[in-house]
Amino acid sequence: MQEPFDIEIGPINYSVFPEGNDSYTIFKDGKEYIQIQKDTSSIWLKMDYKTELPIFEEDEEVNAIGQAIENYVPEPEDKEEDEL
């Protein structure tokens, strides 16, 4: 499973925690913000906290976060850390 990572969209930093099956929990300003899931190649859906079902309405911020997740490239591990 993929490790958590950070993304930046404009001036906002988000922490992304992969949950599996193209689902992610997103933190903003150190607090749990939303859960999102990939629907199609360009559409991401926000999940309802109570029912855990997708909310089928287009959300620009959710799609921007999803695109940033897709474009994220993990940084290579430091070789020095591996040697410790």
Side-chain angles (χ1 to χ4, degrees):
M1 181 130 122
Q2 189 178 12
E3 293 292 318
F5 57 93
D6 294 329
I7 57 173
E8 190 173 301
I9 301 173
I12 303 171
N13 291 314
Y14 299 93
S15 295
V16 178
F17 286 77
E19 302 291 339
N21 296 328
D22 288 328
S23 296
Y24 300 85
T25 298
I26 311 300
F27 286 76
K28 181 178 176 182
D29 298 327
K31 297 179 183 173
E32 189 169 338
Y33 180 55
I34 55 174
Q35 290 181 321
I36 65 172
Q37 182 174 16
K38 186 174 183 175
D39 184 37
T40 65
S41 62
S42 62
I43 303 295
W44 288 74
L45 302 173
K46 184 166 134 176
M47 306 299 285
D48 184 282
Y49 276 109
K50 293 180 182 177
T51 64
E52 296 185 5
L53 295 172
I55 299 170
F56 290 98
E57 60 183 48
E58 193 163 336
D59 186 312
E60 287 184 34
E61 181 183 26
V62 169
N63 281 330
I65 293 169
Q67 290 298 321
I69 290 170
E70 287 184 334
N71 295 332
Y72 173 75
V73 177
E75 294 181 16
E77 295 277 331
D78 235 356
K79 287 186 179 180
E80 291 178 16
E81 289 179 11
D82 292 339
E83 294 172 1
L84 296 177

